[in-house]
Amino acid sequence: MQNILVVQSSVLGDASASRGLVGHFLDAARPGASVTVRDLGADPLPHLSGATLGGFSGADSPEATAERALSDALIAELQAADVVVIGAPMYNFGITSNLKSWFDRVLRAGVTFHYTAEGPVGHLTGKRAIVVETRGGFYGEGGATALDAQEPHIRAMLNFIGITDIVFVRAERLAISPEARTESLAAAADELRKLGAEGLAQAA
Ligand SMILES: Cc1cc2nc3c(=O)[nH]c(=O)nc-3n(C[C@H](O)[C@H](O)[C@H](O)COP(=O)(O)O)c2cc1C
């Protein structure tokens, strides 16, 4: 059975486009999968602090110990996953601060990557990531590619910890017009249902 970790980062709850789209993937994948949900919108992680970094380097104050345990738990969820599905709205050209706080706790030297003379080596190999990007405007085909600080950033962070099999599903133009929104969401939903069913076929 496939283990799927879902990381949601929209703050909009049921009104979130990315959350709805991730749901299409799960509807198709769920019969053959065990699903763990980390909902950063409903349950935000705090920003990185001195205590967090102390925890990473082995400090034993109560705050540092709690921070290390939180990072350990987030990393354990990721280690257990075959597929990680990330709901990633674009906020101000980048990712949400919620999602950044999650990445800040799972990119951990000596745990999920280490440095060598040849460069960094990621430890979380053999996993697939499916990243659902929702955007009011458009930055892909014919769009303002140079302003996109979301997709290259997510790719760099996942690659850094060894996740190189990444599928980006973009739902763009969501604020351009009602028609563009409907069309874009439908195309992304289709793509996600196909990706979900693909995993199911592989697991069979
Ligand atoms: C605070 C905020 C900032 C946003 N910044 C951008 C932006 O820079 N570019 C863009 O195309 N859309 C932007 N949007 C639109 C969102 O990407 C769009 O509403 C998307 O549906 C959000 O995903 P969600 O519905 O899953 O929360 C922004 C929305 C919010 C709330």
Side-chain angles (χ1 to χ4, degrees):
M1 178 167 284
Q2 220 183 23
N3 284 326
I4 298 176
L5 171 64
V6 174
V7 180
Q8 300 281 21
S9 68
S10 171
V11 296
L12 287 183
D14 289 343
S16 151
S18 55
R19 194 174 300 261
L21 289 171
V22 169
H24 288 288
F25 175 88
L26 292 177
D27 287 347
R30 215 170 221 141
S34 148
V35 179
T36 301
V37 178
R38 174 60 64 170
D39 190 337
L40 305 172
D43 230 338
L45 296 168
H47 290 301
L48 217 61
S49 65
T52 323
L53 300 185
F56 291 178
S57 52
D60 59 4
S61 70
E63 295 79 10
T65 304
E67 280 287 351
R68 185 165 54 250
L70 173 59
S71 164
D72 286 348
L74 298 171
I75 290 171
E77 287 175 354
L78 198 46
Q79 284 167 333
D82 304 300
V83 179
V84 53
V85 184
I86 302 177
M90 179 183 273
Y91 284 179
N92 299 317
F93 308 109
I95 61 175
T96 67
S97 55
N98 283 331
L99 187 57
K100 179 63 164 51
S101 287
W102 180 81
F103 274 114
D104 285 343
R105 287 180 170 79
V106 300
L107 268 65
R108 205 165 125 198
V111 182
T112 55
F113 71 92
H114 70 280
Y115 289 111
T116 71
E118 286 74 44
V121 176
H123 298 183
L124 302 180
T125 52
K127 302 181 190 299
R128 162 168 268 203
I130 294 170
V131 183
V132 179
E133 295 176 327
T134 44
R135 301 156 165 195
F138 52 108
Y139 306 84
E141 203 114 322
T145 314
L147 295 179
D148 178 6
Q150 175 194 34
E151 188 166 313
H153 191 197
I154 294 173
R155 181 184 288 107
M157 290 188 286
L158 290 173
N159 283 176
F160 196 67
I161 53 176
I163 302 176
T164 53
D165 176 4
I166 309 171
V167 182
F168 288 96
V169 178
R170 298 186 200 128
E172 300 196 296
R173 302 173 189 262
L174 300 185
I176 300 290
S177 68
E179 295 74 21
R181 181 181 179 89
T182 302
E183 196 179 311
S184 180
L185 289 175
D190 261 5
E191 203 177 334
L192 285 159
R193 278 191 291 266
K194 281 187 195 123
L195 285 165
E198 237 174 58
L200 195 57
Q202 278 163 16

